[in-house]
Amino acid sequence: MQQQQLKPVDVAIVGGGLVGLTMAKEITARTSLSVLVLERGQPRKTSDFATDMDELDYSLRFRMMQNLSEETSTHRHSARDTAVPIRQYGSFNPGTGVGGAAEHWGAISYRFYPEQFTLGIYLREKYGAARLPENLAAQNWGVTYDELEPYYWRAEQLMGVGGKAGNLAGKKMDGGNVFEGTRSHEYPNPAHKLPYSSMLFEKAVREMGYHPYPVPTATLSRTYTNPDGITRPGCAYCGYCTRYGCMIGAKAQPTNILMPVLQKRKTFTLKTGCSVRRVVHKDGHAEGLTYIDESGAELFQPAGIVIVAGWTLNTVKLLLQSKVGNAYDAATGKGTLGKNLTHQVSQTTRIFFDKPLNAFMGAGGLGIGISDFDGKEGIDAHPGVLRGGNIRVMSGGDTPIASFGAIPPASVPRDWGADWKKAGIEWHDRAAAVSSEAEHLAYRQNCLDLDPTYKEKYGDPLIRLTLDWTPHERAQGTMLTGVHREAAKVMNARVGDSNSRQLERYTTTQYQSTHVNGGAIMGESPETSVLNPYLQHWQVSNLFVAGGSAFPQNGSGNPTLTILAITLRASDALIDRYVKKPAPLV
Ligand SMILES: Cc1cc2nc3c(=O)[nH]c(=O)nc-3n(C[C@H](O)[C@H](O)[C@H](O)COP(=O)(O)OP(=O)(O)OC[C@H]3O[C@@H](n4cnc5c(N)ncnc54)[C@H](O)[C@@H]3O)c2cc1C
């Protein structure tokens, strides 16, 4: 195909999601550089969500997600297996369009625990190398929690996160998460009003001697103006939240916190419908990007600095097909690009009450959690568990179709028939869940590469996930669902199924979370990581790669606040140091 060459820009960014637009906002605020963002999906704005909360379309037909008939990934459990394409939405839901997945996220906004950032050393020191799983690939991030703390605070202010501090400047505060790392400030906003099921959970876990706290969320608990002067209203608890854009802008989304700022900047350009195909590079220097625009034309965009922010699977795919860096080979352990793929260990136990819960009111991040079995806490009595996870009761908003059919086990015929429909109506507002997300350690065998067989609509290979659970994740699941069931009994709830069977083999068919991370990881040396601690490519210093793809392993809390914190730190380094002296930052 004939390639048209465009006028050069100073900075070209792949992906108009949370990370790409945050980078653009920072760079255009503090430099005069021209910034172009290329987004493969369609434009979006808050008012698109104002009139049209169609549950079938958004939640069950995945209106805002990547079109799997055009681009998907393949999965296999091990290098011995043949991978097959993921043809239906299951374990994760990649986003597309302006704002990316952060338009339809749940907004739960945890910080990771301090020792997560030095996990490579921490686990060896705590347990001794001989007691760790043979294939463990835990690594240090090259940045500590203390170095990241000011950026966590900036990220919380940008989005207006609400919650209750549990460790303020070293002082433990009852009512917050007392196990969290030290925070320099209380949350920008107070916690939300508590939904009924979370109140029952809070009372029960207090009786059990645990330490409940409101789950931190970037859905506003009151009207708030952020440091960029963006004012958003408090949440109306409408329940149409995760998998939807917020109709009033209470949930932090790129279209309500970033685009209003960027649209006023003359040095900012956003092009939608533009799929980036290659990072063009020569002799350790990125020269620009090739992309296909909406008309199908292939274009070359020269750029002084390239930033890739396409979300984990798209980012690693683009780097692999651009042949930037050394592809990872799990058999030899050589190479870095594609290694340390992680997801998160999600567990749910259904619980049932003899009274209505008014669960139709809610928000994606609304709930109560405990971290008494999270990170390094409370795990020593559980053989085989090296790192734990949070436990929480959330009220995401039970919408009529998606939440119908949560029925206590063995009570009626399951999934069909008149009796099932009757029971569905009877139990609809009396069902809740205790759920957990646990850390996912990195292992040498879990990785990303390009599929040798299957291709996407442009003829490039699909990204291939080699991923399976190990005994460690099963031990985490047993520990956490054990606590779920104990708490449910103290809540006087009827206890239903836990989904621990999901941890027998990794399944692509059941939703877990869209917290798939790793593959282009940051770290302390070019031998063990793709990026330095400022998200700058070790081998191509004018290439920055931002997003969860940089995580060496996954923490227990939802990842986006940490993604934002490392992005803000990288943007500071780029603006304050790289732009002044273009060179490796480490
Ligand atoms: C249903 C759901 C609920 C979630 N809930 C939470 C939560 O409660 N808490 C939490 O912490 N996280 C949550 N997440 C995860 C969160 O959405 C992501 O961590 C976050 O969006 C990552 O931001 P990003 O910019 O890296 O990626 P994205 O937001 O996915 O943006 C990437 C953008 O890049 C574009 N792109 C990709 N490749 C190309 C290319 N080659 N050319 C041009 N454009 C490209 C994509 O179209 C997309 O718009 C949730 C995700 C989903 C789907």
Side-chain angles (χ1 to χ4, degrees):
M1 195 187 290
Q2 186 73 28
Q3 219 176 61
Q4 187 191 335
Q5 175 149 341
L6 300 165
K7 225 173 107 204
V9 294
D10 295 321
V11 183
I13 300 180
V14 183
L18 182 68
V19 169
L21 294 176
T22 298
M23 276 285 196
K25 179 180 86 71
E26 293 297 311
I27 296 168
T28 51
R30 289 158 52 199
T31 71
S32 56
L33 300 177
S34 57
V35 176
L36 169 70
V37 172
L38 295 171
E39 165 57 45
R40 66 182 177 182
Q42 295 308 305
R44 256 191 214 125
K45 53 190 181 317
T46 302
S47 56
D48 294 346
F49 309 119
T51 50
D52 164 27
M53 284 294 128
D54 179 338
E55 186 188 359
L56 190 60
D57 199 18
Y58 275 99
S59 187
L60 285 94
R61 293 184 180 153
F62 303 99
R63 180 200 282 201
M64 297 174 80
M65 320 302 177
Q66 177 176 299
N67 180 346
L68 297 188
S69 69
E70 296 183 343
E71 168 133 23
T72 183
S73 35
T74 67
H75 171 257
R76 59 180 183 170
H77 286 112
S78 79
R80 292 185 304 277
D81 304 320
T82 302
V84 287
I86 299 172
R87 295 186 192 274
Q88 291 188 333
Y89 278 108
S91 55
F92 48 84
N93 297 161
T96 195
V98 172
E103 286 296 287
H104 49 80
W105 69 319
I108 299 174
S109 295
Y110 277 89
R111 295 180 177 198
F112 284 176
Y113 290 97
E115 67 280 0
Q116 169 59 235
F117 298 97
T118 51
L119 206 64
I121 289 186
Y122 172 85
L123 289 175
R124 260 171 253 138
E125 282 178 353
K126 178 166 180 195
Y127 296 102
R131 280 185 58 204
L132 298 178
E134 199 188 343
N135 287 334
L136 189 72
Q139 274 187 218
N140 299 347
W141 296 51
V143 60
T144 63
Y145 174 84
D146 289 345
E147 287 166 329
L148 216 49
E149 204 283 334
Y151 297 98
Y152 268 131
W153 170 233
R154 258 168 71 182
E156 285 165 348
Q157 292 175 91
L158 173 70
M159 300 199 292
V161 178
K164 167 95 182 75
N167 179 353
L168 197 52
K171 188 167 172 247
K172 300 285 170 149
M173 318 265 291
D174 185 41
N177 178 6
V178 291
F179 304 110
E180 69 180 353
T182 304
R183 327 176 141 259
S184 53
H185 298 79
E186 182 50 274
Y187 282 95
N189 284 302
H192 277 278
K193 291 174 194 156
L194 266 194
Y196 185 44
S197 54
S198 297
M199 282 166 74
L200 297 173
F201 180 66
E202 182 182 36
K203 183 167 171 294
V205 289
R206 266 202 192 280
E207 272 171 43
M208 294 165 84
Y210 303 141
H211 301 84
Y213 57 83
V215 170
T217 171
T219 299
L220 294 180
S221 55
R222 60 177 177 189
T223 303
Y224 170 75
T225 303
N226 80 3
D228 293 318
I230 299 292
T231 301
R232 292 151 46 220
C235 176
Y237 305 98
C238 76
Y240 291 85
C241 196
T242 303
R243 298 204 174 92
Y244 302 83
C246 179
M247 63 178 107
I248 59 171
K251 181 169 72 172
Q253 296 167 202
T255 52
N256 60 40
I257 56 170
L258 301 171
M259 284 306 291
V261 179
L262 282 164
Q263 274 157 344
K264 293 188 189 135
R265 301 226 169 115
K266 292 199 170 56
T267 48
F268 171 73
T269 309
L270 170 68
K271 288 188 182 171
T272 53
C274 296
S275 285
V276 177
R277 309 312 305 154
R278 296 286 182 278
V279 177
V280 179
H281 58 103
K282 199 173 162 197
D283 302 330
H285 184 80
E287 298 181 327
L289 301 165
T290 57
Y291 69 94
I292 297 179
D293 74 4
E294 237 163 355
S295 73
E298 190 170 326
L299 307 156
F300 172 57
Q301 176 61 66
I305 298 172
V306 169
I307 299 173
V308 179
W311 185 68
T312 303
L313 300 183
N314 308 315
T315 286
V316 177
K317 175 178 184 292
L318 181 62
L319 296 178
L320 282 166
Q321 67 196 23
S322 304
K323 298 190 171 35
V324 200
N326 306 321
Y328 175 65
D329 177 354
T332 61
K334 295 215 171 91
T336 51
L337 180 57
K339 69 185 255 189
N340 286 37
L341 169 67
T342 51
H343 200 162
Q344 230 165 19
V345 182
S346 303
Q347 293 284 271
T348 300
T349 303
R350 302 295 307 181
I351 54 175
F352 301 89
F353 293 88
D354 59 6
K355 50 199 160 195
L357 300 169
N358 287 345
F360 51 86
M361 290 186 288
L366 185 63
I368 285 283
I370 58 168
S371 285
D372 297 77
F373 299 86
D374 202 353
K376 60 181 161 45
E377 305 301 327
I379 57 175
D380 290 343
H382 297 272
V385 179
L386 305 173
R387 299 291 291 169
N390 53 50
I391 298 171
R392 51 205 192 191
V393 168
M394 305 297 295
S395 286
D398 280 359
T399 44
I401 310 174
S403 62
F404 190 84
I407 293 164
S411 51
V412 286
R414 306 300 307 274
D415 299 344
W416 59 275
D419 286 347
W420 175 76
K421 283 186 195 158
K422 196 165 151 252
I425 292 164
E426 188 184 336
W427 286 100
H428 176 251
D429 193 33
R430 295 198 279 141
V434 190
S435 61
S436 285
E437 275 182 323
E439 293 192 14
H440 187 201
L441 298 173
Y443 301 94
R444 282 187 202 114
Q445 67 274 18
N446 289 340
C447 57
L448 292 169
D449 64 1
L450 295 177
D451 194 279
T453 310
Y454 296 98
K455 300 196 181 343
E456 28 84 320
K457 70 169 178 176
Y458 297 114
D460 280 321
L462 298 185
I463 187 84
R464 174 169 70 174
L465 290 78
T466 303
L467 179 61
D468 204 0
W469 302 124
T470 76
H472 182 251
E473 291 77 64
R474 289 177 207 118
Q476 289 174 307
T478 304
M479 173 182 83
L480 293 165
T481 52
V483 183
H484 294 182
R485 302 179 89 77
E486 281 169 28
K489 281 190 206 136
V490 181
M491 290 166 84
N492 288 321
R494 196 160 149 184
V495 188
D497 300 326
S498 300
N499 64 345
S500 2
R501 286 196 55 216
Q502 194 171 292
L503 293 173
E504 284 172 14
R505 301 305 303 272
Y506 183 87
T507 170
T508 57
T509 59
Q510 288 172 30
Y511 189 70
Q512 298 173 54
S513 71
T514 309
H515 307 161
V516 179
N517 291 319
I521 69 172
M522 59 198 283
E524 292 167 338
S525 97
E527 279 71 48
T528 55
S529 54
V530 175
L531 311 173
N532 71 25
Y534 300 101
L535 308 186
Q536 181 186 37
H537 201 282
W538 283 112
Q539 295 164 17
V540 184
S541 63
N542 67 334
L543 173 63
F544 290 76
V545 183
S549 45
F551 288 12
Q553 55 271 326
N554 212 353
S556 57
N558 307 47
T560 304
L561 194 76
T562 302
I563 292 175
L564 210 44
I566 58 173
T567 299
L568 290 169
R569 184 168 182 267
S571 64
D572 268 11
L574 191 155
I575 294 162
D576 299 335
R577 293 173 51 207
Y578 182 81
V579 170
K580 288 177 188 145
K581 187 174 170 237
L585 293 165
V586 173

